[in-house]
């Protein structure tokens, strides 16, 4: 297949690019500031906020499948408008679209959210992601919207970097004991997204790990894996901190799991 990975230089995008390339697919990828490191890939600079540029690139490459992993947490235009621009371009050129969304679209009031739940965001980033979902659904109704949770790698994710900084005293802060998510390994997530791209499925899918863990427990798992002193990890409660955001958000992935061959492991397993 001809794949285009939008946002290919990030943690998830880079994994998608590597897996596409290793599987023998023809793959191109975009970046905002610097290209990724995978060889044999056609790297193109792209600002998804520029509709004409998005349309021109997708129209020229004419991919069979596009995975949009581009976002910026503090930038509504990139996250929401950029997603609409990608959906418009894919609809014009033809092909499959897999749009990567987030559990940030939920407030945490219900705690457990399956694929039928309607977004109720309480942060600007969550609102931008929810707006992106609405735009993609309206523009490209055959697209897959894949909501995921905290993405963990083998040392390359922001949460892993934070754990290392806290455990070694390079950074001050706490890991919340009441902030619960369903972390997913980047390799599992990338494999699942590519499987969805090659399938005939559409609509909302939840692609998260099997275990619901707090950010503090996740930090302990990472620290033990990496040989860090777990006693140096500071803990606290988000509810007491004044830091805005949802508390307990658990993505129920039952429908998606029944459709996928890819196993979505829990953090307690992939961080052993």
């Amino acid at each position: 297949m001809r794949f285009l990975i939008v946002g290919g230089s990030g943690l998830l995008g880079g994994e998608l690019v590597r897996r596409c390339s290793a599987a023998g697919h023809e793959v191109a990828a975009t970046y905002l500031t610097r290209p990724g490191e995978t060889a044999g890939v056609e790297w193109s600079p792209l600002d998804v906020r520029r509709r004409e540029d998005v349309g021109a690139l997708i129209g020229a490459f004419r991919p069979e499948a596009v995975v949009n992993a581009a976002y910026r947490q503090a930038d509504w235009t990139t996250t929401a408008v950029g997603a609409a621009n990608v959906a418009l371009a894919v609809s014009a050129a033809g092909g499959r679209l897999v749009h990567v969304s987030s559990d940030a679209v939920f407030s945490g009031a219900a705690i457990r959210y399956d694929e039928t739940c309607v977004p109720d965001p309480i942060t600007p980033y969550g609102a931008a992601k929810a707006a992106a979902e609405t735009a993609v659904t309206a523009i490209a109704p055959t697209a897959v919207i894949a909501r995921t949770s905290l993405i963990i790698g083998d040392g390359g994710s922001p949460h892993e970097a934070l754990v290392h900084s806290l455990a070694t005293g390079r950074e001050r802060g706490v890991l919340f004991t009441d902030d619960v998510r369903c972390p997913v390994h980047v390799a599992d997530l990338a494999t699942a997204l590519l499987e969805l791209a090659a399938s005939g499925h559409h609509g909302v899918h939840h692609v998260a790990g099997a275990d619901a863990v707090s950010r503090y427990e996740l930090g302990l798992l990472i620290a033990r894996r990496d040989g860090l002193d777990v006693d140096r990890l500071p803990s606290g409660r988000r509810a007491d901190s004044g830091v805005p955001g949802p508390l307990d958000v658990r993505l129920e992935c039952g429908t998606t799991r029944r459709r996928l061959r890819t196993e979505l492991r829990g953090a307690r397993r992939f961080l052993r």
Side-chain angles (χ1 to χ4, degrees):
M1 290 181 69
R2 285 168 64 84
F3 275 94
L4 175 65
I5 310 302
V6 179
S9 59
L11 174 66
L12 174 58
E15 187 69 21
L16 287 163
V17 169
R18 286 188 291 273
R19 288 183 175 271
C20 279
S21 183
H25 297 297
E26 183 178 357
V27 56
T30 75
Y31 63 93
L32 182 61
T33 56
R34 62 181 182 276
E37 299 177 354
T38 304
V41 173
E42 183 180 336
W43 290 96
S44 299
L46 181 67
D47 186 338
V48 294
R49 297 173 296 185
R50 300 176 61 88
R51 181 178 299 179
E52 297 82 3
D53 293 352
V54 177
L57 189 148
I58 290 177
F61 185 67
R62 302 198 74 82
E64 295 172 81
V66 175
V67 182
N68 181 17
Y71 75 98
R72 298 182 80 181
Q73 278 206 356
D75 187 344
W76 174 283
T77 307
T78 295
T79 302
V81 179
N85 291 340
V86 172
L88 285 166
V90 173
S91 293
R96 292 273 290 161
L97 172 61
V98 175
H99 172 76
V100 182
S101 190
S102 167
D103 58 11
V105 301
F106 296 122
S107 69
I111 299 180
R112 299 181 182 277
Y113 295 87
D114 66 18
E115 290 92 343
T116 67
C117 291
V118 176
D120 62 338
I122 57 173
T123 63
Y125 173 62
K129 277 294 194 182
E133 289 189 9
T134 299
V136 169
T137 300
I139 296 165
T142 61
V144 170
I145 293 171
R147 294 178 183 143
T148 192
S149 190
L150 290 177
I151 304 174
I152 304 299
D154 296 315
S157 71
H159 196 81
E160 289 165 285
L162 174 62
V163 170
H164 276 251
S165 293
L166 292 173
T168 56
R170 295 196 306 270
E171 189 170 338
R172 295 179 61 85
V174 299
L175 296 173
F176 295 127
T177 58
D178 58 346
D179 186 327
V180 177
R181 299 293 186 272
C182 296
V184 65
H185 195 281
V186 65
D188 297 348
L189 176 57
T191 303
L193 294 176
L194 295 178
E195 185 180 343
L196 286 168
S199 75
H201 299 306
H202 67 278
V204 174
H205 290 69
H206 284 182
V207 190
D211 296 333
V213 299
S214 71
R215 290 180 187 263
Y216 179 67
E217 182 183 352
L218 181 61
L220 294 177
L221 292 169
I222 291 168
R224 292 187 183 111
R225 180 198 66 183
D226 296 345
L228 301 172
D229 185 354
V230 296
D231 293 331
R232 297 194 64 183
L233 286 181
S235 64
R237 284 167 34 91
R238 179 187 281 272
D240 301 330
S241 71
V243 177
L247 293 177
D248 197 336
V249 178
R250 310 184 188 199
L251 293 184
E252 298 283 351
C253 306
T255 298
T256 303
R257 289 177 192 277
R258 287 191 290 272
R259 292 176 174 174
L260 293 178
R261 297 185 305 275
T262 304
E263 183 182 6
L264 297 169
R265 296 169 294 165
R268 296 187 186 100
R269 179 175 168 192
F270 65 71
L271 286 171
R272 279 191 304 211

